[in-house]
Amino acid sequence: VHPEESGGGSVQPGGSLILSCVASGYNFGSYCMGWFRQAPGKDREGVAVLNSDDSTMYADAVEGRFTISKGNAGKTLFLHMHSLEPEDTAMYYCALGVVSVTRQQCLLGYGMDYWGEGTLVNVSY
C-alpha cells in the first residue's frame, strides 16, 4: 500500500487548497486515516484525522480552517484547507492506519503504518 498525495502548491495567505490521497489495496474507512505535516526545522505533527467511526479530530492550529473527509466512493482522503497562513507552510503527508486507535492516538501517529511521500504546501506573498 503506497498512499499518493496531490494538490499541494503555492498560495497567498488567505487562500485555499485541497489535498487528496489515494491508495490502492487499502480499505478506506477500516481504520483511522489522517494528514500530518512537517515544516522545515520542526518535528512532524498531526493535522487532522478521520477515524473508522467517521469522527474527526484536528490540531488546534487548524481547527475551523481545515476539514478532513472521504470521497463519496470511499477511495480518496481529502484535506480542505482554507484561510491558509504562512505558518501552514510544510510538507503534508497522508497516513493510513492498520489498527484500531482513538482519535487522540491517531493524531499522534499511533498505528499509522502507511505513509505517502508528501505534497508541499507553501503559503507566502
Side-chain angles (χ1 to χ4, degrees):
V1 177
H2 299 286
E4 294 184 14
E5 306 95 337
S6 61
S10 294
V11 294
Q12 294 189 349
S16 299
L17 284 174
I18 302 174
L19 305 184
S20 300
C21 173
V22 295
S24 60
Y26 183 80
N27 190 359
F28 277 68
S30 294
Y31 300 105
C32 196
M33 307 176 290
W35 290 94
F36 295 75
R37 68 185 181 186
Q38 186 167 19
K42 295 188 177 181
D43 293 335
R44 187 179 66 196
E45 62 177 353
V47 176
V49 297
L50 175 64
N51 214 340
S52 56
D53 62 357
D54 289 335
S55 61
T56 59
M57 190 168 191
Y58 298 90
D60 289 344
V62 307
E63 182 82 54
R65 300 188 297 120
F66 291 11
T67 302
I68 188 171
S69 65
K70 283 182 301 185
N72 288 336
K75 295 183 178 180
T76 307
L77 185 67
F78 296 106
L79 184 67
H80 294 247
M81 306 188 295
H82 302 288
S83 302
L84 283 162
E85 304 169 353
E87 293 74 22
D88 295 317
T89 295
M91 187 72 81
Y92 283 71
Y93 300 92
C94 171
L96 307 177
V98 296
V99 294
S100 296
V101 295
T102 65
R103 289 177 298 162
Q104 292 82 356
Q105 291 172 325
C106 194
L107 197 62
L108 293 172
Y110 289 113
M112 297 300 204
D113 260 23
Y114 301 122
W115 293 81
E117 295 186 355
T119 184
L120 184 62
V121 172
N122 181 48
V123 185
S124 64
Y125 289 102

